[in-house]
Amino acid sequence: MQSIWLREGFYLLFEKIQTQDRLLLDFRERVMPLTWHFILTGKQKTVDFSSSREASTSINKGNFFLHGRGILDHNTEDFTNVGPFFSVTIQVYARVLRSFVSDPSGEFPQELKHLLRPVERPCYKRAGKTSPMMYALLQQILQCPYAGLTKRMYLESKAIELLALLMEEEAIIHRD
């Protein structure tokens, strides 16, 4: 795993896993920032233990999973003979997202309010398909030709572009 700090409250995470046996990552209830988890190779199964019955979600190459801000319940990530697994994750804290998408008066767009639930409420969750434009930006992030400060600035600009596409998709899905 590698984490890159773009600015306070805005991060990129790279996760590479190669298993020959089963790898289970057990996560207890925790407060999550806004998180988009893009699967570039392999697949991941998540088992959610929050309700009276287990619910599982599988995400494969070419898809992403979104967790809005709020409480993410007890879940387990299951990597069973997945071969090479590689993902890129963007994490954005509420104040940073507000700085990007609020209007000049500070008002957050109505069609995006579902993303910023109060931290004591369960987080919004949704799976989606990585569009060709999103995939191209992820590839640019992975193939960053710079180092040092220039690298951080480049990665932040690409992550903001990706965030813009994601915000547009969310706004379309949640318009009246």
Side-chain angles (χ1 to χ4, degrees):
M1 279 184 95
Q2 179 188 10
S3 169
I4 297 177
W5 176 83
L6 302 172
R7 67 170 71 181
E8 188 176 340
F10 193 24
Y11 305 92
L12 283 174
L13 305 166
F14 304 96
E15 189 174 31
K16 189 179 225 174
I17 298 172
Q18 176 81 41
T19 64
Q20 293 184 352
D21 294 315
R22 188 174 196 188
L23 172 65
L24 293 173
L25 302 175
D26 191 47
F27 296 98
R28 297 297 171 187
E29 181 178 272
R30 66 207 185 275
V31 175
M32 291 291 292
L34 223 60
T35 304
W36 284 269
H37 187 65
F38 294 89
I39 309 297
L40 298 178
T41 61
K43 63 184 176 181
Q44 174 183 353
K45 179 180 174 186
T46 301
V47 180
D48 185 351
F49 299 103
S50 61
S51 61
S52 57
R53 60 185 175 87
E54 263 182 38
S56 73
T57 305
S58 290
I59 358 175
N60 300 312
K61 174 184 173 182
N63 295 294
F64 68 87
F65 198 78
L66 160 62
H67 296 116
R69 183 182 76 165
I71 294 176
L72 184 61
D73 298 309
H74 176 205
N75 67 41
T76 299
E77 293 178 3
D78 185 353
F79 301 90
T80 305
N81 298 322
V82 296
F85 172 85
F86 187 69
S87 68
V88 176
T89 300
I90 295 178
Q91 289 192 324
V92 183
Y93 283 78
R95 70 187 178 295
V96 176
L97 184 64
R98 287 182 188 284
S99 74
F100 291 140
V101 301
S102 293
D103 67 19
S105 71
E107 186 65 28
F108 197 73
Q110 184 63 37
E111 62 269 19
L112 298 176
K113 287 190 176 180
H114 63 282
L115 296 173
L116 299 182
R117 293 181 177 169
V119 293
E120 63 276 359
R121 290 194 49 212
C123 68
Y124 168 78
K125 298 180 223 177
R126 180 176 79 78
K129 180 137 181 65
T130 305
S131 73
M133 288 178 67
M134 290 176 195
Y135 186 78
L137 286 166
L138 289 163
Q139 289 304 310
Q140 290 172 17
I141 287 169
L142 292 171
Q143 296 167 7
C144 176
Y146 304 108
L149 173 65
T150 308
K151 177 180 181 174
R152 189 173 55 80
M153 291 175 69
Y154 177 87
L155 291 175
E156 182 175 343
S157 72
K158 295 301 172 186
I160 290 170
E161 279 185 75
L162 185 54
L163 197 55
L165 294 175
L166 294 163
M167 291 297 99
E168 179 63 18
E169 185 174 289
E170 283 301 311
I172 289 169
I173 289 170
H174 290 279
R175 284 200 178 112
D176 319 351

